[in-house]
Amino acid sequence: MKRGNQPWWKKTVVYQVYPRSFKDSTGNGIGDIPGIISKLDYLADLGIETIWFSPFFDSPQEDFGYDIRNYRAIAPEYGTLQDCEALINEIHARDMRIVFDMVLNHTSDQHPWFLASKSSKNDPKRGWYVWHDGRKPGGKKPPNNWKSMITGSGWHYHEPTDQWYWAQFLPFQPDLNYRNPEVRGEMLDTMKFWLSKGADGFRLDIINAIYEDDEFRDNPRSWRLLPSEESPAMLFTNPKYTLNHPDTLAFMRVLRDAIDTFDDPSRFMVGEVSAPLPILKQYMGESGDGLNLTFQFQSLSLKMRAKAVRGLLEDYEEWFPAPLIPTWVFSNHDRFRRISRIGGGILQAKLNAALQLTARGVPFIYYGEEVGMEQHHLPVKYSKDPVALKFKHIPQFIFNIARKIAKESINRDECRTPMQWNASENGGFCPAGVDPWLPMTPSYRERNVAVQENEPDSLLNCYKRFLHARKIMPPLHAGDMTIDTSDAYPSHVVHFIRECRETGGRVDVFLNFSGNDLDLNFPVPLKEIVVSTRIPAEGAIGNGIKLTPWEGIVVQLQR
Ligand code: GLC
């Protein structure tokens, strides 16, 4: 079927693989690239079109790959460069695309560049990182009040050279200095290296942190204690000079130009930026010449209520009208798993999938979401996650309260547990008798691929049906969206229309955000039920239909 003239990345569906947790092929309890290759048929069959991999580059793994030691080599525990090339080829052979995770902001402190940089003030690599004298007199205080994203000063003293280096994230992740043209050149070359190997796109890690103020001015004060999607201010400081710097925004155009001029077909970049929608829009460029996509993390905490969903749909349409396009993301390797956030119910998870796969935007599915993988409650004290470890002295009950009230967890291990392939010991992730790097989430015996593949009405099969419908129907993958704000339907129902001007065709989407049966009476007769969260989709009665509790349905009416 014709798929229209829009670039492929606007119509695609992305699946995030966390390599360490996907499939272990060697029996050491750690996922690897050959393991991933063995599961590509599963992803293709599911209906995934693009796969984004969290970093598998050479790294000391202190932040599990987000601390890179060599951008052009693969971490030995995950495989070799040849394995990576095979992965790229195998993905392309299945008509899918591959997205690499680029950590441009910082390297590992074990990267040879940083080792050279810290060796002497006169080393040619000194200027590759952000070094500064401490505050006078004595210089034994950090240069200014800049805080890292993980609380505390982001400045770290290096005694041998009596200066401080800046790290936006953790101390072992020193920031590169993008005011140095050699750094810009090297990192753009690195991206081109992977493009020439076949990368179809990049996910850009904390891309909002690339530049800082070149006068090193103190950040202003703020009243906010905790950050949110609405403001990055926290701990009573507003990161004016360290996040979303005008030079960072200008750099997005440089990146876009490098990607667009590389060669055909088009590639895309999606930026990790935690910010309100107007700022996210700036990252995409006033004339769409910046990042192709940004994550809108506003959806992470979206309430399963019709009013909230309608509101977010409207906000996205307001801020990202075509040719811009929003993303739909509900979980990732840093955040609470969606199904646990919305109460654990399969019906609600199906409805959530229906929303994600039918609204205008690019869906990002986090591995295991399709079988209802839950957050695994793990104590902070014994975490492997370096962010959680920073807070290990705080009593666990405080985190438990935060989890209950805010549905947030400081311990990122909880959402990174091994993929649940089947009901056997270790869930088919690694052989029985081996300790997986993180413990399996207990519900894996019911919530796994093998069990759900055999249940027609499972969450997994619901994902498959919607992914399939989305793939073959232009209104769903390329259409405009009109949100119904009338009161034609019950208030718990979200209704929108997807219509494709390019290829023609229109569908109506109805999502029931309530636990009740609801009657829909259409102005014209029903032509066809395209797909529903339940099977069989019964109840067609000419001009109306009954929506069961939490049902999501796509229909064609006789227009
Ligand atoms: C991003 C990544 C996260 C990582 C951090 C530092 O937020 O998603 O996992 O720890 O950046 O690179």
Side-chain angles (χ1 to χ4, degrees):
M1 179 172 290
K2 187 166 183 276
R3 299 204 69 194
N5 301 321
Q6 294 184 28
W8 65 271
W9 51 264
K10 285 193 183 173
K11 298 180 284 195
T12 199
V13 173
V14 187
Y15 186 94
Q16 180 190 356
V17 166
Y18 195 69
R20 209 173 184 80
S21 299
F22 204 58
K23 172 72 187 162
D24 167 20
S25 75
T26 62
N28 65 355
I30 294 175
D32 50 56
I33 294 178
I36 294 167
I37 294 176
S38 72
K39 293 297 183 185
L40 290 179
D41 284 338
Y42 162 75
L43 293 177
D45 180 54
L46 177 59
I48 299 303
E49 298 170 16
T50 298
I51 312 173
W52 147 37
F53 292 96
S54 283
F56 41 48
F57 309 112
D58 179 46
S59 157
Q61 306 291 347
E62 281 184 80
D63 191 16
F64 301 108
Y66 286 94
D67 49 329
I68 296 175
R69 184 166 48 197
N70 182 348
Y71 285 83
R72 301 183 192 206
I74 303 301
E77 61 263 63
Y78 296 148
T80 61
L81 196 55
Q82 286 71 34
D83 290 329
C84 179
E85 285 163 350
L87 178 68
I88 297 169
N89 291 338
E90 292 289 335
I91 287 176
H92 287 162
R94 287 166 179 79
D95 210 14
M96 296 192 286
R97 317 270 183 155
I98 178 165
V99 169
F100 284 73
D101 208 320
M102 273 292 125
V103 187
L104 297 180
N105 181 66
H106 51 264
T107 68
S108 156
D109 64 355
Q110 303 302 309
H111 196 297
W113 302 336
F114 189 69
L115 296 180
S117 186
K118 73 174 193 180
S119 68
S120 144
K121 274 184 179 164
N122 303 321
D123 189 274
K125 289 277 186 299
R126 186 69 170 183
W128 278 44
Y129 293 84
V130 184
W131 290 98
H132 204 278
D133 287 336
R135 239 174 296 166
K136 305 287 175 214
K140 295 288 180 280
K141 287 214 172 113
N144 57 29
N145 74 351
W146 294 357
K147 294 201 170 71
S148 82
M149 284 181 179
I150 311 299
T151 73
S153 173
W155 290 106
H156 306 283
Y157 185 57
H158 182 244
E159 200 168 356
T161 56
D162 192 25
Q163 276 196 320
W164 299 69
Y165 70 88
W166 167 244
Q168 179 68 250
F169 213 71
L170 289 162
F172 58 81
Q173 290 160 311
D175 273 39
L176 284 163
N177 174 16
Y178 277 82
R179 301 201 180 277
N180 183 324
E182 284 176 17
V183 170
R184 288 200 301 274
E186 171 64 29
M187 298 315 278
L188 289 174
D189 281 353
T190 301
M191 290 171 78
K192 288 179 192 158
F193 171 83
W194 287 110
L195 289 176
S196 65
K197 292 240 173 259
D200 299 296
F202 296 110
R203 178 260 186 192
L204 304 177
D205 191 68
I206 56 169
I207 197 69
N208 50 341
I210 292 284
Y211 281 90
E212 301 78 35
D213 182 39
D214 55 355
E215 294 175 38
F216 296 89
R217 283 171 282 190
D218 271 347
N219 273 328
R221 305 227 164 274
S222 147
W223 288 109
R224 283 177 175 267
L225 172 63
L226 295 173
S228 74
E229 253 51 84
E230 293 323 307
S231 167
M234 65 169 184
L235 298 174
F236 308 113
T237 14
N238 165 5
K240 175 177 176 187
Y241 294 123
T242 45
L243 287 181
N244 307 323
H245 192 278
D247 295 338
T248 298
L249 290 165
F251 188 56
M252 299 305 108
R253 288 199 294 277
V254 177
L255 289 173
R256 177 67 176 266
D257 193 53
I259 299 282
D260 281 359
T261 54
F262 187 74
D263 68 2
D264 283 339
S266 65
R267 317 300 221 280
F268 81 95
M269 293 173 294
V270 55
E272 188 206 16
V273 180
S274 223
L277 303 184
I279 293 185
L280 293 176
K281 185 168 181 165
Q282 289 176 20
Y283 276 86
M284 294 158 100
E286 284 309 320
S287 49
D289 54 353
L291 299 182
N292 311 74
L293 301 170
T294 53
F295 289 122
Q296 280 88 54
F297 291 130
Q298 284 69 12
S299 48
L300 293 178
S301 53
L302 178 64
K303 296 250 182 318
M304 292 296 277
R305 297 216 187 100
K307 197 170 164 215
V309 173
R310 220 175 283 124
L312 196 63
L313 286 164
E314 283 170 359
D315 287 350
Y316 284 5
E317 285 302 289
E318 181 188 342
W319 286 100
F320 309 103
L324 297 181
I325 186 162
T327 55
W328 282 97
V329 51
F330 287 104
S331 301
N332 67 28
H333 63 290
D334 297 326
R335 306 297 290 263
F336 218 76
R337 282 205 174 257
R338 178 68 175 167
I339 195 164
S340 303
R341 211 191 270 266
I342 61 178
I346 294 292
L347 283 182
Q348 286 84 345
K350 286 180 179 173
L351 182 65
N352 199 76
L355 166 66
Q356 184 181 35
L357 299 174
T358 58
R360 194 180 76 88
V362 180
F364 281 75
I365 300 169
Y366 184 45
Y367 81 93
E369 222 166 5
E370 73 276 21
V371 290
M373 265 181 78
E374 295 175 300
Q375 190 84 2
H376 188 359
H377 191 172
L378 296 167
V380 167
K381 203 153 87 186
Y382 305 111
S383 66
K384 299 223 160 76
D385 172 20
V387 170
L389 283 178
K390 263 203 94 151
F391 302 94
K392 68 176 176 199
H393 303 297
I394 298 177
Q396 182 67 37
F397 80 90
I398 304 221
F399 298 117
N400 297 351
I401 295 173
R403 149 197 302 277
K404 261 223 163 96
I405 297 175
K407 298 280 186 234
E408 292 288 356
S409 172
I410 196 85
N411 186 359
R412 299 179 299 174
D413 291 355
E414 297 188 351
C415 61
R416 298 174 175 177
T417 56
M419 176 65 183
Q420 300 167 184
W421 296 107
N422 59 44
S424 70
E425 185 186 332
N426 292 333
F429 165 70
C430 64
V434 169
D435 276 342
W437 82 283
L438 287 176
M440 301 298 297
T441 301
S443 53
Y444 82 89
R445 290 191 191 268
E446 308 85 56
R447 297 187 174 198
N448 65 60
V449 173
V451 163
Q452 293 196 20
E453 266 175 344
N454 291 323
E455 288 170 1
D457 204 15
S458 65
L459 180 58
L460 178 62
N461 280 317
C462 174
Y463 268 91
K464 271 194 201 173
R465 287 195 305 277
F466 273 83
L467 284 163
H468 179 73
R470 186 188 157 95
K471 187 174 283 183
I472 62 169
M473 300 212 60
L476 287 178
H477 64 246
D480 297 339
M481 180 168 70
T482 309
I483 303 155
D484 183 353
T485 52
S486 75
D487 52 11
Y489 297 103
S491 61
H492 291 304
V493 172
V494 171
H495 169 221
F496 51 85
I497 296 156
R498 301 290 315 271
E499 195 161 11
C500 189
R501 288 196 203 146
E502 272 179 62
T503 55
R506 159 182 173 147
V507 294
D508 284 58
V509 179
F510 295 93
L511 308 171
N512 177 4
F513 284 89
S514 83
N516 304 322
D517 284 342
L518 295 175
D519 287 320
L520 303 181
N521 295 306
F522 304 130
V524 291
L526 176 71
K527 186 170 156 205
E528 186 196 356
I529 293 175
V530 175
V531 62
S532 164
T533 52
R534 76 191 166 108
I535 48 158
E538 293 159 350
I541 49 157
N543 272 46
I545 201 168
K546 193 180 279 304
L547 279 186
T548 55
W550 304 102
E551 182 173 359
I553 192 164
V554 181
V555 300
Q556 269 185 327
L557 300 179
Q558 291 182 17
R559 303 231 183 226

